[in-house]
Amino acid sequence: MALTRLERFLTWVLRAFVAFLFAAFQLLAPRQSDGSSKLPPITNPLLMISGIQLAQKIRRKEVMSVEVVQAYIDRIQEVNPLINAMVKDRFSEALQEAAHADRLVQEEEGGEEALQHRLPLLGVPFTVKESFKLQGMPNSTGLLSRRGVVSQGDAPVALLKRAGAIPLGVTNCSELCMWLESHNRLYGITKNPYNTERIPGGSSGGEGSILASGGSVIGVGSDIGGSIRIPAFFNGIFGHKPTPGVVSNEGQYPPASEQQQSFLCTGPMCRYAEDLLPLLRIMAGPSAEKLSLSSEVDLSKLRFFSVPHDGGSPLMSPVDQELLEAQRKVVERLETDLGVKVQKLQLPQLRYSFQIWGALMGAPGKDGKPPKTFAELMGGEGKRVWPVWEMAKWMLGRSSHTMPAIGLALMEMVQSSRPSPFVLQQKEELQTQLEELLGTDGVLLYPTHPHIAPKHHHPFFTPFNFAYTGIFNILGLPVTQCPVGLSREGLPLGLQLVAGKRQDHLTLAAALHLERAFGGWRDPGTV
């Protein structure tokens, strides 16, 4: 009973605090007055082809890279004024690189296969989250104090460039990559292409938005609590959080601490499921050998499990009925198509997902030192903001930071730096149970988020709902977010596919099947 009383008290404190922040925000934040804007439908057929198929067409001289890159530039210029997803472009350089790619194709003497082996993505455009270093592009992560920072060199996105892919520019994110809404004081707010009054998610929301709108075909995101999967869900695309340690996390700002390095994952985001595996193989580099990406997967031989919700955490929202129904339809389709029996489960420890994520994210590393506080990160190099003072400045319209960032720094002040033994026990029990359950041939179905893409600023009401994704960062399991149709309002539905460690190929294969079964990404201009 003592634990229950404590839990109720903490829940009341957190909800009261969040309610206060939201009330202040509603009273003082500037209003959006433009309403919902409909995106124009895609008309250029080159924008409706996967990245892998584009690369093949370019190698076979069926289309020129310059044509493809120009088609994407035209689309970005058409939609970006409506969604504010790309914050800095490199169109001129991209066209020059496309022309160079076309010359390589013309001059290649080893044939198509040699070109595919050496440059598998030759001539294919892509986009990158602004928090990654990309030569000549800004790398502020939404901090005004980093306004003038320009990348000298590349993060591991260079592996995509070495494979022949051509970066078009960088996309918006939440301030310091720690909120569900891609909004900051430097670049403003990014919108969902299916309904511009809705959020695209965060922190890779700019990437999700530009991909879904047809302004990009493949992209790079990062994920420490759902920052690939939530935007992929809200924008109706595919996103994969790999097994930790496979894709390098270097070249990002802010850098993760030693402990958090095992929770942060860099991964691919794309409109077409067939792009996920080849992108992951390229992004992983030599570490791709740790995964069985070349293994054939017989889905009918896999064991499938379905967990419809977290069991009723008082901190998190109940799962929307439309999402529950969508997951039920996925179960039925798997059973019909594959002849498998999907086992429905409840995992009681999931009820403590937020507490587990929060405790481990703030835990000291091997050296005993705690990670940098969010207030320190907000201040930039060698500085620290004072959250209460920053809140007062915000109320006077003088703060350089967004309310979510200030709110997170304030919450940090009242959180304990020592994980409770009870929370650690729940984590260990859940880890053991899932690893035994999934093994090397299991796939778990689980909601990506309790809500379909909410309206702007509404995550203030439900700040802990990200724990539906965040728990798998702590557990170190690979997860693929898959779109599975549209809601009655025309907003994307989706769910997570989870596998055992280093079994990424299982969820990627299942994603291909679900794309065929439910139609995958839909052009928001035709919805």
Side-chain angles (χ1 to χ4, degrees), residues 229-258:
R229 289 160 289 156
I230 294 173
F233 167 44
F234 287 169
N235 292 284
I237 62 171
F238 293 89
H240 183 70
K241 184 197 84 66
T243 296
V246 173
V247 179
S248 172
N249 291 322
E250 295 300 314
Q252 297 185 50
Y253 191 87
S257 69
E258 179 183 332

Side-chain angles (χ1 to χ4, degrees), residues 38-42 72-86 191 193 196 209-216 523-524:
K38 179 76 173 176
L39 263 64
I42 295 172
Y72 274 98
I73 290 173
D74 292 343
R75 181 61 177 176
I76 291 169
Q77 290 175 333
E78 183 177 42
V79 301
N80 205 52
L82 300 174
I83 58 174
N84 189 38
M86 180 169 283
K191 301 176 183 180
T196 55
S209 181
I210 202 70
L211 283 159
S213 66
S216 183
D523 176 5

Side-chain angles (χ1 to χ4, degrees), residues 67-191:
E67 294 178 70
V68 175
V69 169
Q70 187 62 60
Y72 274 98
I73 290 173
D74 292 343
R75 181 61 177 176
I76 291 169
Q77 290 175 333
E78 183 177 42
V79 301
N80 205 52
L82 300 174
I83 58 174
N84 189 38
M86 180 169 283
V87 294
K88 181 68 174 178
D89 70 71
R90 56 185 308 278
F91 293 159
S92 178
E93 297 94 330
L95 286 170
Q96 292 175 28
E97 291 159 9
H100 178 67
D102 289 329
R103 286 195 296 272
L104 287 178
V105 173
Q106 295 297 326
E107 296 168 1
E108 176 61 43
E109 297 179 355
E112 182 191 342
E113 288 188 8
L115 203 56
Q116 180 180 5
H117 176 74
R118 187 160 50 93
L119 298 165
L121 292 177
L122 182 62
V124 177
F126 73 105
T127 44
V128 182
K129 185 178 183 179
E130 198 260 14
S131 60
F132 288 89
K133 288 183 179 178
L134 180 64
Q135 176 66 39
M137 292 285 101
N139 181 223
S140 68
T141 317
L143 275 184
L144 278 175
S145 62
R146 287 176 60 87
R147 183 198 298 268
V149 175
V150 176
S151 299
Q152 305 299 318
D154 294 316
V157 295
L159 293 172
L160 293 178
K161 292 171 69 174
R162 287 177 203 157
I166 298 172
L168 296 173
V170 291
T171 54
N172 203 17
C173 57
S174 53
E175 185 176 354
L176 286 167
C177 293
M178 287 296 284
W179 185 240
L180 278 77
E181 185 147 16
S182 293
H183 177 211
N184 56 69
R185 294 294 305 279
L186 186 55
Y187 300 122
I189 194 165
T190 298
K191 301 176 183 180

Side-chain angles (χ1 to χ4, degrees), residues 160-378:
L160 293 178
K161 292 171 69 174
R162 287 177 203 157
I166 298 172
L168 296 173
V170 291
T171 54
N172 203 17
C173 57
S174 53
E175 185 176 354
L176 286 167
C177 293
M178 287 296 284
W179 185 240
L180 278 77
E181 185 147 16
S182 293
H183 177 211
N184 56 69
R185 294 294 305 279
L186 186 55
Y187 300 122
I189 194 165
T190 298
K191 301 176 183 180
N192 190 306
Y194 289 88
N195 184 329
T196 55
E197 292 183 334
R198 304 278 178 154
I199 71 170
S203 60
S204 311
E207 200 61 25
S209 181
I210 202 70
L211 283 159
S213 66
S216 183
V217 62
I218 55 177
V220 179
S222 59
D223 188 315
I224 201 168
S227 291
I228 287 174
R229 289 160 289 156
I230 294 173
F233 167 44
F234 287 169
N235 292 284
I237 62 171
F238 293 89
H240 183 70
K241 184 197 84 66
T243 296
V246 173
V247 179
S248 172
N249 291 322
E250 295 300 314
Q252 297 185 50
Y253 191 87
S257 69
E258 179 183 332
Q259 174 81 348
Q260 293 170 353
Q261 275 285 353
S262 60
F263 307 144
L264 176 65
C265 290
T266 298
M269 300 173 69
C270 49
R271 281 185 279 141
Y272 299 100
E274 69 175 335
D275 287 332
L276 286 171
L277 190 147
L279 281 175
L280 178 58
R281 179 182 283 118
I282 293 168
M283 293 171 69
S287 295
E289 296 178 0
K290 297 177 181 178
L291 308 178
S292 303
L293 297 180
S294 298
S295 300
E296 293 291 330
V297 178
D298 184 347
L299 294 176
S300 66
K301 299 290 179 59
L302 300 184
R303 297 174 299 115
F304 288 91
F305 309 92
S306 178
V307 177
H309 52 74
D310 70 349
S313 166
L315 294 176
M316 291 185 277
S317 304
V319 178
D320 287 351
Q321 284 299 315
E322 282 191 270
L323 292 172
L324 292 172
E325 179 64 15
Q327 187 160 326
R328 186 188 64 78
K329 288 179 179 178
V330 170
V331 169
E332 290 179 352
R333 190 65 186 262
L334 290 173
E335 291 182 337
T336 300
D337 292 352
L338 305 177
V340 299
K341 178 62 179 175
V342 180
Q343 183 180 349
K344 187 175 180 180
L345 298 175
Q346 292 291 342
L347 299 174
Q349 298 88 352
L350 287 172
R351 188 168 180 263
Y352 301 98
S353 291
F354 172 73
Q355 292 92 325
I356 293 170
W357 185 90
L360 272 294
M361 279 288 291
K366 293 178 182 178
D367 58 3
K369 294 181 180 179
K372 270 192 174 183
T373 66
F374 196 71
E376 289 174 312
L377 294 174
M378 287 172 67

